[in-house]
Amino acid sequence: MSKPLISALAQFAAATAGRNMTKTAYVAVGVGVLSMVLLTDNRANEARGWVNGLLWVCLAYFVFEWLVRLRHMARQGRLSLYMSSSAGIVDAIGALAVPLALVLGVEPKTAWLLSVLWVLKVVPGIPGLRQLRRVLMLESGPLVSVLVIFLMVIFLASVAEYFLERDVQPQTFGSVPAALWWAVVTLTTTGYGDVVPVTPLGRMVAALVMISGLGVFGLWTGILATGFAAETRRDNFLKTWESVSKVPFFAALGPAAIADVTHMLRTMELPARTLVIRKGTQGDCMYFIAAGEVEVDLPGKKVQLGEGAFFGEMALLGNNKRGANVSTTKVSRLLVLDLVDFRVLMARHPDLAETIDAEAKRRALENN
């Protein structure tokens, strides 16, 4: 076996040993699940051999992935931790579920249905999943309280409808469990229409249940929306704090002052060759470079400003007209300070105001 092939296999095994999904794993999940779906379609009998072959290839990859990770974790002394973790359990299920079903004598067409469990492998890579888990944990109390109300309404409504409708519709409301189906369908506003109360009091109860369903799901929606909004503000605050702390003009400020600045600034993520400021336009904000680089197009020369520098302050110090074009030279993250917030910040931190004013005067002399 040639050295390049051995090196490629070693790199592939090293990438597979990590706990994150690789591109190959995503392809295997997609091909495997699609093949399982085609296997259930009788119209695909002619391609059944190819479909079975693809399923076995995907299964072989997931078994290989699981064994590589077991070996990697065993070398690090974390085998038991990996096997008991959610990622380890999902990897084990993906590798063993179908073979165990086949060994136990399950029909192959039925056993391959277990390959749908492979989609669980992509769950950790879903963006925002950690944020969702945190919101559910923080808001678990209110969510559970609404769930209790939901269950109470279902049970009370089913008992009431059983009492009111059992003599009129014994086949559909002949027992409380049978009435529970109607209560769930009505409270969730699904409204299949297969079970409908016919007595006046029964319809009054149904109306109350429908209104309660709107209220319950409105509460759940409001709780989750508020939680996501708070979590998003928290993440944005942390990202902006990190960016602010890298700017030299803010580095000397204390934590309270940095928090004050963080609340005022907004972040802009810009690609390369993006025009940030156009010459001659009215200026109402200044910019701090948290990451990346911009180019200032001055008469007769071009000046590059890197991480930690700022620009656009002249429009806030008296001259509202932009004096030069400014564009990014590479992917950049800018912190934007608006005019009103600029004045508030300068009033609260005179030393920062003096620093910016001195830098602005120096640049004005250079430009002249």
Side-chain angles (χ1 to χ4, degrees):
M1 188 177 293
S2 62
K3 289 185 178 180
L5 181 59
I6 294 175
S7 176
L9 288 174
Q11 292 178 0
F12 178 74
T16 305
R19 301 182 66 177
N20 296 325
M21 286 282 288
T22 61
K23 292 182 179 179
T24 307
Y26 280 113
V27 172
V29 170
V31 172
V33 173
L34 179 60
S35 300
M36 181 272 294
V37 172
L38 292 175
L39 191 66
T40 63
D41 191 348
N42 294 328
R43 295 173 296 180
N45 287 330
E46 297 181 358
R48 193 170 297 277
W50 283 98
V51 171
N52 278 301
L54 289 173
L55 284 169
W56 279 109
V57 169
C58 293
L59 177 61
Y61 172 79
F62 291 127
V63 171
F64 167 76
E65 181 185 59
W66 182 55
L67 293 176
V68 167
R69 289 178 177 175
L70 285 176
R71 178 172 174 269
H72 177 70
M73 293 299 174
R75 285 186 170 183
Q76 294 186 344
R78 297 189 297 168
L79 181 60
S80 59
L81 180 64
Y82 167 70
M83 294 181 66
S84 60
S85 66
S86 58
I89 293 173
V90 169
D91 288 343
I93 291 174
L96 301 177
V98 174
L100 284 177
L102 294 172
V103 169
L104 293 174
V106 178
E107 183 188 3
K109 191 174 181 180
T110 303
W112 281 115
L113 292 176
L114 293 173
S115 62
V116 73
L117 298 174
W118 293 342
V119 300
L120 296 176
K121 299 175 73 66
V122 307
V123 170
I126 298 176
L129 188 63
R130 183 177 299 177
Q131 187 180 35
L132 173 61
R133 183 169 64 246
R134 182 175 173 82
V135 169
L136 292 176
M137 290 177 59
L138 293 175
E139 304 295 338
S140 59
L143 290 173
V144 170
S145 299
V146 178
L147 177 62
V148 171
I149 296 174
F150 179 82
L151 296 176
M152 288 175 59
V153 173
I154 285 179
F155 184 71
L156 292 173
S158 61
V159 172
E161 288 295 345
Y162 164 72
F163 175 75
L164 296 170
E165 300 284 335
R166 60 181 175 178
D167 296 331
V168 182
Q169 302 185 77
Q171 293 183 344
T172 55
F173 289 98
S175 65
V176 172
L180 277 171
W181 167 252
W182 167 86
V184 171
V185 169
T186 305
L187 189 60
T188 56
T189 67
T190 305
Y192 287 124
D194 54 345
V195 181
V196 181
V198 295
T199 63
L201 288 177
R203 290 184 173 180
M204 289 180 63
V205 172
L208 293 175
V209 172
M210 294 178 207
I211 295 172
S212 299
L214 294 174
V216 165
F217 285 98
L219 284 172
W220 265 329
T221 303
I223 291 169
L224 290 175
T226 303
F228 268 109
E231 192 64 19
T232 301
R233 285 195 300 270
R234 173 182 173 275
D235 289 344
N236 291 338
F237 180 83
L238 293 176
K239 291 177 182 177
T240 307
W241 178 290
E242 182 181 2
S243 300
V244 168
S245 62
K246 293 179 180 179
V247 178
F249 288 105
F250 299 140
L253 300 177
I258 291 181
D260 190 20
V261 173
T262 301
H263 284 297
M264 294 181 179
L265 297 175
R266 52 189 173 91
T267 306
M268 291 178 60
E269 302 282 348
L270 299 177
R273 296 182 297 278
T274 300
L275 185 65
V276 182
I277 290 178
R278 186 182 299 276
K279 184 177 180 180
T281 58
Q282 293 288 333
D284 59 355
C285 61
M286 68 177 296
Y287 302 85
F288 297 89
I289 306 174
E293 184 184 70
V294 302
E295 183 178 74
V296 183
D297 188 5
L298 296 172
K301 61 178 179 178
K302 293 184 179 181
V303 179
Q304 280 73 37
L305 301 177
E307 183 175 325
F310 62 87
F311 59 94
E313 76 289 345
M314 298 299 292
L316 306 184
L317 294 174
N319 183 11
N320 292 331
K321 291 284 186 180
R322 298 296 192 185
N325 291 327
V326 181
S327 57
T328 58
T329 58
K330 53 186 176 181
V331 177
S332 303
R333 183 167 67 253
L334 305 180
L335 305 177
V336 186
L337 182 63
D338 293 320
L339 176 59
V340 175
D341 294 330
F342 172 81
R343 291 173 178 171
V344 173
L345 185 62
M346 296 305 101
R348 292 179 181 177
H349 305 283
D351 52 341
L352 187 61
E354 293 175 0
T355 303
I356 293 178
D357 187 50
E359 180 68 12
K361 291 178 179 178
R362 186 186 67 80
R363 291 183 186 177
L365 291 174
E366 288 183 353
N367 296 341
N368 294 332

